[in-house]
Amino acid sequence: MAFYIHTKAGKREIDGAIFDMDGTLLDSMHIWDDIGSKFLKSIGIHPEQDLREVLRVMSVQQGAEYFIEHYGVKMTVPEIVDAMKNVVARQYEELVEEKPGIKNMLETLKNKGVKMCVATATDKSLSEIALKRNGLLDYFSGIITCGDVGKGKDEPYIYQKARELIGTETERTAVFEDAYYAAKTAKDAGFILVGVEDKSAEGQRIEIMEISDAYTKDFKNLI
């Protein structure tokens, strides 16, 4: 059995697939839009206007380090991470829904023998809660987080670690991403890039489409 992705250069057969979670598997980016601001306000600090953009390229741990260095937050990194996790945990448990068509896509990949992994900046425990709630968790061999590798998605380590987990070759592994900076990292690292449309990245949609080998608004058109 084989699974092919229809790319700009023609059909590409893949053995492995690495999925971002927020904005790709799940319609959940709205949760993170103002999480940093909510946290800072909760401890009496007024956030700067560009905070959302600053945090967009950071893992939760990197964001916590930024709060300490830039805002002088008198908490440890683990304490900040735990506080931010508590802010979003309930929404992951009760509100977050899967992206349209994703379950059929994952079922098709599973039936074709494609090995799958999640690569996300979100904490693993929160990721498991959200994916399990939507019936998606069992499709994946594992979840690799930015916290696991100690780097954000502005560097390729998380994708390389995910590829090692599923045991596939880079040139036969597709990375599904909705954020431009992460998509570019995966593309530059040699993976087959599938850009996924999400309203959170509307401002960079053209840029994502340009660098992607394939681009989708709805996973149905990839099957």
Side-chain angles (χ1 to χ4, degrees):
M1 292 186 292
F3 184 86
Y4 296 91
I5 288 179
H6 295 275
T7 73
K8 298 171 185 175
K11 291 197 303 182
R12 295 281 301 274
E13 185 177 357
I14 66 168
D15 301 318
I18 299 169
F19 287 86
D20 169 57
M21 189 179 76
D22 296 294
T24 299
L25 293 171
L26 303 176
D27 185 14
S28 52
M29 284 303 296
H30 59 279
I31 290 177
W32 297 97
D33 280 349
D34 58 357
I35 180 65
S37 295
K38 285 181 178 178
F39 166 71
L40 290 176
K41 288 176 181 177
S42 73
I43 58 174
I45 297 176
H46 183 72
E48 296 172 347
Q49 290 186 344
D50 66 345
L51 180 61
R52 181 186 301 180
E53 293 304 314
V54 170
L55 295 179
R56 187 179 294 275
V57 301
M58 297 184 182
S59 66
V60 176
Q61 181 167 332
Q62 287 174 319
E65 293 169 352
Y66 178 76
F67 290 149
I68 293 171
E69 295 169 4
H70 189 75
Y71 287 95
V73 174
K74 304 301 182 184
M75 297 168 64
T76 66
V77 168
E79 287 172 342
I80 296 173
V81 170
D82 285 344
M84 295 179 71
K85 282 171 57 178
N86 290 335
V87 174
V88 301
R90 184 171 179 179
Q91 295 183 71
Y92 272 112
E93 291 170 349
E94 301 178 1
L95 301 176
V96 169
E97 301 291 341
E98 67 190 71
K99 294 290 281 285
I102 188 60
K103 192 168 291 183
N104 287 339
M105 174 72 175
L106 296 178
E107 186 68 24
T108 299
L109 290 171
K110 176 184 175 182
N111 291 337
K112 292 290 187 178
V114 176
K115 297 178 180 179
M116 295 177 281
C117 179
V118 175
T120 178
T122 301
D123 178 83
K124 186 171 293 184
S125 63
L126 291 177
S127 301
E128 290 174 344
I129 288 170
L131 293 172
K132 185 175 182 179
R133 177 182 177 275
N134 284 279
L136 305 180
L137 183 61
D138 290 341
Y139 286 104
F140 301 104
S141 299
I143 300 171
I144 303 295
T145 72
C146 291
D148 291 333
V149 299
K151 303 284 184 179
K153 287 189 174 182
D154 53 335
E155 299 185 65
Y157 300 105
I158 187 169
Y159 303 113
Q160 294 164 347
K161 190 71 173 179
R163 182 195 59 74
E164 290 173 6
L165 177 65
I166 58 178
T168 56
E169 298 298 323
T170 300
E171 62 272 14
R172 293 176 66 89
T173 304
V175 171
F176 294 75
E177 276 285 0
D178 67 297
Y180 175 73
Y181 82 97
K184 187 175 187 305
T185 299
K187 177 69 173 180
D188 290 346
F191 292 92
I192 300 169
L193 174 62
V194 181
V196 179
E197 185 162 306
D198 189 75
K199 56 189 175 183
S200 67
E202 179 62 26
Q204 293 185 306
R205 183 172 63 88
I206 300 301
E207 289 89 341
I208 296 171
M209 291 179 69
E210 287 177 347
I211 67 170
S212 295
D213 296 294
Y215 185 84
T216 183
K217 298 179 181 179
D218 187 330
F219 285 97
K220 293 177 182 178
N221 66 24
L222 287 176
I223 296 177

